[in-house]
Amino acid sequence: MPTTTVEDLPADVLACALRRLDGPSLAAASCATAGLRALAADPDTWRALCLAQWPSLDTHQHSILGSAAVSPQRLFADAFPFPSDEAAPAASSDQHLPGELISAVDVYHKGAPIFSRAVETSTSSSWFLTSPFRVDAVDCKNPAPAASISPAELELSWIVADPRSGRAVNVSSRRAVAVDRHWYTGETLVRFAVVLGGCKFEATVTCSEEAGCLREVSLTVEDADGAAASGECSLRLLAAAMAGPRKGGEKEGEQAKRRYDEFVSSKRGRKESKARREVLVDLCCSAVSAVAVLSFIASVMLR
């Protein structure tokens, strides 16, 4: 009796079945046989998956998937898994830096998207390269409505894409690594972060529960000492992360939280150590000054 396999089904039936899979399942199916690999490589299928996962990719002003250099399948493979923190230190001085970045930002509440926006950033000017890196998807002058939300249940995806090379990386931990209250305004600060190359990429969502809006959604970069990283330094880290390996698995969100806590703890330790050194230097200077004054007084009295 002949054996029937899944490939014996009509191609249009198989294609319809593949379109109902999520991204990881579709990628796994493409590894089964050559026939499934050919069907799973359909750009329209991957485009639909990307738009369902990240609505910001096809906003009114910017369409990342509209670029000829950006493959939907490549984009999903770049942006769905977490970047490896071992990739970023490979950044070098002769590395090609993106002349433009597009940030695709999506905020979710209980799994449903409540805010989506794409932000284009020119990175070639000397002002950008020497200034602290910062990208604002929402600023306080133009808040985004978000009524009846629980800040602790927010999730965030922040894809940074280079439209020329077609590469991208997701620099958000997806789930919050910290939820704080602003000491003055009382607004809730929801933080999402990944650590790359010893630096922290932190996206902050500022929620005003009274006004029912997102007042700010921004991305910044800090080095190990807590100083703001420059645009050039951040571009090198991003370029290395785009070209580097990725990490998958359900526990990667927990790992991102652990690396964030380790980064914050290390930064606190550095600050305390620096403060102790400064105290010791002050004491030494004070002691030297006292000895000098006493020596001067003694020399005057002994004349």
Side-chain angles (χ1 to χ4, degrees):
M1 184 176 181
T3 303
T4 302
T5 67
V6 68
E7 289 192 303
D8 293 328
L9 294 172
D12 56 344
V13 174
L14 281 175
C16 181
L18 291 176
R19 292 192 193 101
R20 298 177 183 275
L21 299 178
D22 58 16
S25 300
L26 181 61
S30 68
C31 299
T33 65
L36 288 177
R37 184 180 304 111
L39 289 173
D42 177 31
D44 291 337
T45 300
W46 285 103
R47 178 183 174 85
L49 275 172
C50 288
L51 293 179
Q53 184 78 24
W54 305 295
S56 60
L57 294 177
D58 196 26
T59 56
H60 177 68
Q61 293 181 342
H62 305 286
S63 180
I64 298 177
L65 292 173
S67 172
V70 180
S71 161
Q73 186 174 2
R74 175 76 264 179
L75 179 63
F76 194 95
D78 280 346
F80 186 80
F82 284 77
S84 172
D85 54 349
E86 300 173 357
S92 59
S93 58
D94 59 348
Q95 186 180 34
H96 168 73
L97 298 181
E100 178 187 17
L101 293 177
I102 296 180
S103 296
V105 185
D106 295 281
V107 180
Y108 309 86
H109 182 251
K110 296 182 178 180
I114 61 172
F115 169 81
S116 298
R117 181 171 296 173
V119 181
E120 184 177 353
T121 306
S122 175
T123 62
S124 57
S125 67
S126 58
W127 177 86
F128 177 88
L129 295 174
T130 56
S131 300
F133 180 90
R134 182 183 177 94
V135 178
D136 290 298
V138 177
D139 58 44
C140 58
K141 296 181 180 178
N142 299 291
S148 303
I149 62 170
S150 173
E153 295 182 291
L154 291 179
E155 296 181 5
L156 173 73
S157 169
W158 193 302
I159 299 173
V160 181
D162 178 1
R164 293 185 180 179
S165 68
R167 299 306 302 271
V169 64
N170 200 324
V171 292
S172 172
S173 55
R174 293 11 172 226
R175 296 182 179 179
V177 296
V179 180
D180 307 313
R181 284 279 183 182
H182 193 281
W183 67 274
Y184 181 70
T185 63
E187 296 173 334
T188 305
L189 307 178
V190 189
R191 306 183 190 278
F192 305 83
V194 294
V195 178
L196 298 173
C199 292
K200 177 186 64 173
F201 285 75
E202 181 172 291
T204 304
V205 178
T206 303
C207 306
S208 176
E209 297 175 70
E210 293 182 358
C213 65
L214 305 180
R215 288 186 57 81
E216 284 190 14
V217 181
S218 61
L219 176 67
T220 58
V221 183
E222 285 186 0
D223 63 17
D225 294 320
S230 67
E232 182 177 2
C233 174
S234 302
L235 283 180
R236 295 193 185 283
L237 292 170
L238 285 171
M242 289 178 185
R246 301 293 192 271
K247 291 182 177 181
E250 296 180 355
K251 294 184 177 181
E252 279 305 312
E254 299 176 4
Q255 294 295 325
K257 175 68 165 62
R258 179 184 59 79
R259 286 190 288 268
Y260 171 82
D261 291 338
E262 291 175 352
F263 181 91
V264 172
S265 177
S266 175
K267 184 176 70 172
R268 187 183 301 113
R270 286 171 176 266
K271 286 186 176 181
E272 292 174 353
S273 177
K274 183 179 179 181
R276 287 194 294 268
R277 288 197 302 268
E278 291 177 349
V279 169
L280 289 175
V281 170
D282 290 341
L283 289 175
C284 291
C285 291
S286 299
V288 170
S289 300
V291 170
V293 171
L294 291 175
S295 299
F296 174 76
I297 295 175
S299 63
V300 171
M301 293 181 64
L302 293 175
R303 286 182 181 179

PDB file of all heavy atoms in Angstrom, residues 206-228:
ATOM      1  N   THR A 206       6.017  56.162  29.224  1.00  0.00           N
ATOM      2  CA  THR A 206       5.490  56.966  30.325  1.00  0.00           C
ATOM      3  C   THR A 206       3.975  57.024  30.208  1.00  0.00           C
ATOM      4  O   THR A 206       3.442  57.534  29.219  1.00  0.00           O
ATOM      5  CB  THR A 206       6.078  58.383  30.300  1.00  0.00           C
ATOM      6  OG1 THR A 206       7.510  58.297  30.349  1.00  0.00           O
ATOM      7  CG2 THR A 206       5.593  59.196  31.487  1.00  0.00           C
ATOM      8  N   CYS A 207       3.293  56.481  31.213  1.00  0.00           N
ATOM      9  CA  CYS A 207       1.826  56.392  31.183  1.00  0.00           C
ATOM     10  C   CYS A 207       1.214  57.378  32.166  1.00  0.00           C
ATOM     11  O   CYS A 207       1.636  57.444  33.324  1.00  0.00           O
ATOM     12  CB  CYS A 207       1.358  54.986  31.551  1.00  0.00           C
ATOM     13  SG  CYS A 207       2.090  53.670  30.571  1.00  0.00           S
ATOM     14  N   SER A 208       0.240  58.122  31.687  1.00  0.00           N
ATOM     15  CA  SER A 208      -0.553  58.979  32.556  1.00  0.00           C
ATOM     16  C   SER A 208      -1.933  58.336  32.690  1.00  0.00           C
ATOM     17  O   SER A 208      -2.763  58.444  31.789  1.00  0.00           O
ATOM     18  CB  SER A 208      -0.670  60.394  31.978  1.00  0.00           C
ATOM     19  OG  SER A 208      -1.517  61.186  32.785  1.00  0.00           O
ATOM     20  N   GLU A 209      -2.148  57.643  33.799  1.00  0.00           N
ATOM     21  CA  GLU A 209      -3.415  56.933  33.980  1.00  0.00           C
ATOM     22  C   GLU A 209      -4.580  57.896  34.180  1.00  0.00           C
ATOM     23  O   GLU A 209      -5.717  57.604  33.788  1.00  0.00           O
ATOM     24  CB  GLU A 209      -3.292  55.989  35.169  1.00  0.00           C
ATOM     25  CG  GLU A 209      -2.244  54.895  34.952  1.00  0.00           C
ATOM     26  CD  GLU A 209      -2.033  54.036  36.176  1.00  0.00           C
ATOM     27  OE1 GLU A 209      -2.955  53.270  36.507  1.00  0.00           O
ATOM     28  OE2 GLU A 209      -0.958  54.134  36.796  1.00  0.00           O
ATOM     29  N   GLU A 210      -4.311  59.065  34.771  1.00  0.00           N
ATOM     30  CA  GLU A 210      -5.384  60.046  34.963  1.00  0.00           C
ATOM     31  C   GLU A 210      -5.859  60.609  33.635  1.00  0.00           C
ATOM     32  O   GLU A 210      -7.060  60.749  33.397  1.00  0.00           O
ATOM     33  CB  GLU A 210      -4.888  61.168  35.875  1.00  0.00           C
ATOM     34  CG  GLU A 210      -4.611  60.734  37.307  1.00  0.00           C
ATOM     35  CD  GLU A 210      -4.180  61.899  38.166  1.00  0.00           C
ATOM     36  OE1 GLU A 210      -4.070  63.025  37.629  1.00  0.00           O
ATOM     37  OE2 GLU A 210      -3.950  61.696  39.370  1.00  0.00           O
ATOM     38  N   ALA A 211      -4.890  60.944  32.759  1.00  0.00           N
ATOM     39  CA  ALA A 211      -5.253  61.506  31.455  1.00  0.00           C
ATOM     40  C   ALA A 211      -5.604  60.421  30.443  1.00  0.00           C
ATOM     41  O   ALA A 211      -6.150  60.726  29.373  1.00  0.00           O
ATOM     42  CB  ALA A 211      -4.104  62.361  30.917  1.00  0.00           C
ATOM     43  N   GLY A 212      -5.274  59.161  30.738  1.00  0.00           N
ATOM     44  CA  GLY A 212      -5.576  58.073  29.821  1.00  0.00           C
ATOM     45  C   GLY A 212      -4.774  58.151  28.534  1.00  0.00           C
ATOM     46  O   GLY A 212      -5.342  58.060  27.443  1.00  0.00           O
ATOM     47  N   CYS A 213      -3.449  58.317  28.656  1.00  0.00           N
ATOM     48  CA  CYS A 213      -2.624  58.463  27.462  1.00  0.00           C
ATOM     49  C   CYS A 213      -1.199  57.985  27.744  1.00  0.00           C
ATOM     50  O   CYS A 213      -0.790  57.806  28.896  1.00  0.00           O
ATOM     51  CB  CYS A 213      -2.599  59.912  26.988  1.00  0.00           C
ATOM     52  SG  CYS A 213      -1.804  61.048  28.155  1.00  0.00           S
ATOM     53  N   LEU A 214      -0.470  57.765  26.647  1.00  0.00           N
ATOM     54  CA  LEU A 214       0.965  57.523  26.714  1.00  0.00           C
ATOM     55  C   LEU A 214       1.649  58.859  26.465  1.00  0.00           C
ATOM     56  O   LEU A 214       1.596  59.400  25.361  1.00  0.00           O
ATOM     57  CB  LEU A 214       1.389  56.498  25.659  1.00  0.00           C
ATOM     58  CG  LEU A 214       0.671  55.144  25.661  1.00  0.00           C
ATOM     59  CD1 LEU A 214       1.201  54.256  24.554  1.00  0.00           C
ATOM     60  CD2 LEU A 214       0.819  54.452  27.003  1.00  0.00           C
ATOM     61  N   ARG A 215       2.291  59.401  27.492  1.00  0.00           N
ATOM     62  CA  ARG A 215       2.882  60.732  27.365  1.00  0.00           C
ATOM     63  C   ARG A 215       4.228  60.709  26.646  1.00  0.00           C
ATOM     64  O   ARG A 215       4.568  61.649  25.932  1.00  0.00           O
ATOM     65  CB  ARG A 215       3.043  61.379  28.736  1.00  0.00           C
ATOM     66  CG  ARG A 215       1.706  61.800  29.348  1.00  0.00           C
ATOM     67  CD  ARG A 215       1.913  62.556  30.636  1.00  0.00           C
ATOM     68  NE  ARG A 215       2.757  63.723  30.469  1.00  0.00           N
ATOM     69  CZ  ARG A 215       2.337  64.896  30.005  1.00  0.00           C
ATOM     70  NH1 ARG A 215       1.066  65.040  29.633  1.00  0.00           N
ATOM     71  NH2 ARG A 215       3.155  65.915  29.891  1.00  0.00           N
ATOM     72  N   GLU A 216       4.978  59.634  26.839  1.00  0.00           N
ATOM     73  CA  GLU A 216       6.271  59.525  26.167  1.00  0.00           C
ATOM     74  C   GLU A 216       6.574  58.062  25.875  1.00  0.00           C
ATOM     75  O   GLU A 216       6.261  57.184  26.681  1.00  0.00           O
ATOM     76  CB  GLU A 216       7.406  60.111  27.020  1.00  0.00           C
ATOM     77  CG  GLU A 216       7.471  61.629  27.041  1.00  0.00           C
ATOM     78  CD  GLU A 216       8.748  62.149  27.706  1.00  0.00           C
ATOM     79  OE1 GLU A 216       9.689  61.342  27.900  1.00  0.00           O
ATOM     80  OE2 GLU A 216       8.804  63.336  28.047  1.00  0.00           O
ATOM     81  N   VAL A 217       7.194  57.836  24.708  1.00  0.00           N
ATOM     82  CA  VAL A 217       7.744  56.524  24.360  1.00  0.00           C
ATOM     83  C   VAL A 217       9.091  56.817  23.706  1.00  0.00           C
ATOM     84  O   VAL A 217       9.137  57.395  22.617  1.00  0.00           O
ATOM     85  CB  VAL A 217       6.836  55.738  23.393  1.00  0.00           C
ATOM     86  CG1 VAL A 217       7.451  54.375  23.086  1.00  0.00           C
ATOM     87  CG2 VAL A 217       5.439  55.566  23.969  1.00  0.00           C
ATOM     88  N   SER A 218      10.170  56.465  24.387  1.00  0.00           N
ATOM     89  CA  SER A 218      11.494  56.870  23.906  1.00  0.00           C
ATOM     90  C   SER A 218      12.511  55.751  24.090  1.00  0.00           C
ATOM     91  O   SER A 218      12.329  54.844  24.900  1.00  0.00           O
ATOM     92  CB  SER A 218      11.972  58.119  24.657  1.00  0.00           C
ATOM     93  OG  SER A 218      12.088  57.856  26.052  1.00  0.00           O
ATOM     94  N   LEU A 219      13.589  55.849  23.309  1.00  0.00           N
ATOM     95  CA  LEU A 219      14.688  54.886  23.372  1.00  0.00           C
ATOM     96  C   LEU A 219      15.987  55.632  23.627  1.00  0.00           C
ATOM     97  O   LEU A 219      16.313  56.592  22.920  1.00  0.00           O
ATOM     98  CB  LEU A 219      14.795  54.098  22.059  1.00  0.00           C
ATOM     99  CG  LEU A 219      15.963  53.112  21.943  1.00  0.00           C
ATOM    100  CD1 LEU A 219      15.782  51.947  22.922  1.00  0.00           C
ATOM    101  CD2 LEU A 219      16.090  52.594  20.514  1.00  0.00           C
ATOM    102  N   THR A 220      16.737  55.213  24.643  1.00  0.00           N
ATOM    103  CA  THR A 220      18.033  55.802  24.970  1.00  0.00           C
ATOM    104  C   THR A 220      19.050  54.685  25.180  1.00  0.00           C
ATOM    105  O   THR A 220      18.695  53.509  25.319  1.00  0.00           O
ATOM    106  CB  THR A 220      17.955  56.674  26.232  1.00  0.00           C
ATOM    107  OG1 THR A 220      17.474  55.877  27.327  1.00  0.00           O
ATOM    108  CG2 THR A 220      17.021  57.857  26.026  1.00  0.00           C
ATOM    109  N   VAL A 221      20.325  55.081  25.230  1.00  0.00           N
ATOM    110  CA  VAL A 221      21.412  54.112  25.426  1.00  0.00           C
ATOM    111  C   VAL A 221      22.343  54.649  26.511  1.00  0.00           C
ATOM    112  O   VAL A 221      22.727  55.826  26.483  1.00  0.00           O
ATOM    113  CB  VAL A 221      22.205  53.871  24.125  1.00  0.00           C
ATOM    114  CG1 VAL A 221      23.271  52.802  24.338  1.00  0.00           C
ATOM    115  CG2 VAL A 221      21.273  53.463  22.990  1.00  0.00           C
ATOM    116  N   GLU A 222      22.702  53.786  27.459  1.00  0.00           N
ATOM    117  CA  GLU A 222      23.623  54.136  28.535  1.00  0.00           C
ATOM    118  C   GLU A 222      24.808  53.183  28.538  1.00  0.00           C
ATOM    119  O   GLU A 222      24.647  51.993  28.258  1.00  0.00           O
ATOM    120  CB  GLU A 222      22.941  54.053  29.901  1.00  0.00           C
ATOM    121  CG  GLU A 222      22.004  55.185  30.220  1.00  0.00           C
ATOM    122  CD  GLU A 222      21.480  55.096  31.647  1.00  0.00           C
ATOM    123  OE1 GLU A 222      21.871  54.135  32.353  1.00  0.00           O
ATOM    124  OE2 GLU A 222      20.687  55.951  32.060  1.00  0.00           O
ATOM    125  N   ASP A 223      26.007  53.719  28.887  1.00  0.00           N
ATOM    126  CA  ASP A 223      27.154  52.834  29.041  1.00  0.00           C
ATOM    127  C   ASP A 223      27.190  52.274  30.457  1.00  0.00           C
ATOM    128  O   ASP A 223      26.285  52.506  31.264  1.00  0.00           O
ATOM    129  CB  ASP A 223      28.453  53.566  28.688  1.00  0.00           C
ATOM    130  CG  ASP A 223      28.744  54.749  29.614  1.00  0.00           C
ATOM    131  OD1 ASP A 223      28.155  54.827  30.708  1.00  0.00           O
ATOM    132  OD2 ASP A 223      29.578  55.594  29.239  1.00  0.00           O
ATOM    133  N   ALA A 224      28.235  51.525  30.778  1.00  0.00           N
ATOM    134  CA  ALA A 224      28.306  50.830  32.058  1.00  0.00           C
ATOM    135  C   ALA A 224      28.385  51.782  33.245  1.00  0.00           C
ATOM    136  O   ALA A 224      28.051  51.389  34.370  1.00  0.00           O
ATOM    137  CB  ALA A 224      29.512  49.885  32.073  1.00  0.00           C
ATOM    138  N   ASP A 225      28.817  53.021  33.013  1.00  0.00           N
ATOM    139  CA  ASP A 225      28.919  53.999  34.093  1.00  0.00           C
ATOM    140  C   ASP A 225      27.663  54.835  34.239  1.00  0.00           C
ATOM    141  O   ASP A 225      27.611  55.737  35.072  1.00  0.00           O
ATOM    142  CB  ASP A 225      30.126  54.918  33.864  1.00  0.00           C
ATOM    143  CG  ASP A 225      31.438  54.162  33.972  1.00  0.00           C
ATOM    144  OD1 ASP A 225      31.546  53.304  34.873  1.00  0.00           O
ATOM    145  OD2 ASP A 225      32.348  54.417  33.154  1.00  0.00           O
ATOM    146  N   GLY A 226      26.657  54.575  33.414  1.00  0.00           N
ATOM    147  CA  GLY A 226      25.417  55.338  33.486  1.00  0.00           C
ATOM    148  C   GLY A 226      25.418  56.590  32.639  1.00  0.00           C
ATOM    149  O   GLY A 226      24.441  57.343  32.657  1.00  0.00           O
ATOM    150  N   ALA A 227      26.493  56.829  31.878  1.00  0.00           N
ATOM    151  CA  ALA A 227      26.552  58.002  31.003  1.00  0.00           C
ATOM    152  C   ALA A 227      25.833  57.699  29.693  1.00  0.00           C
ATOM    153  O   ALA A 227      25.822  56.559  29.213  1.00  0.00           O
ATOM    154  CB  ALA A 227      28.001  58.397  30.732  1.00  0.00           C
ATOM    155  N   ALA A 228      25.226  58.728  29.113  1.00  0.00           N
ATOM    156  CA  ALA A 228      24.517  58.557  27.845  1.00  0.00           C
ATOM    157  C   ALA A 228      25.509  58.254  26.730  1.00  0.00           C
ATOM    158  O   ALA A 228      26.519  58.943  26.573  1.00  0.00           O
ATOM    159  CB  ALA A 228      23.725  59.818  27.522  1.00  0.00           C
TER     160      ALA A 228
END
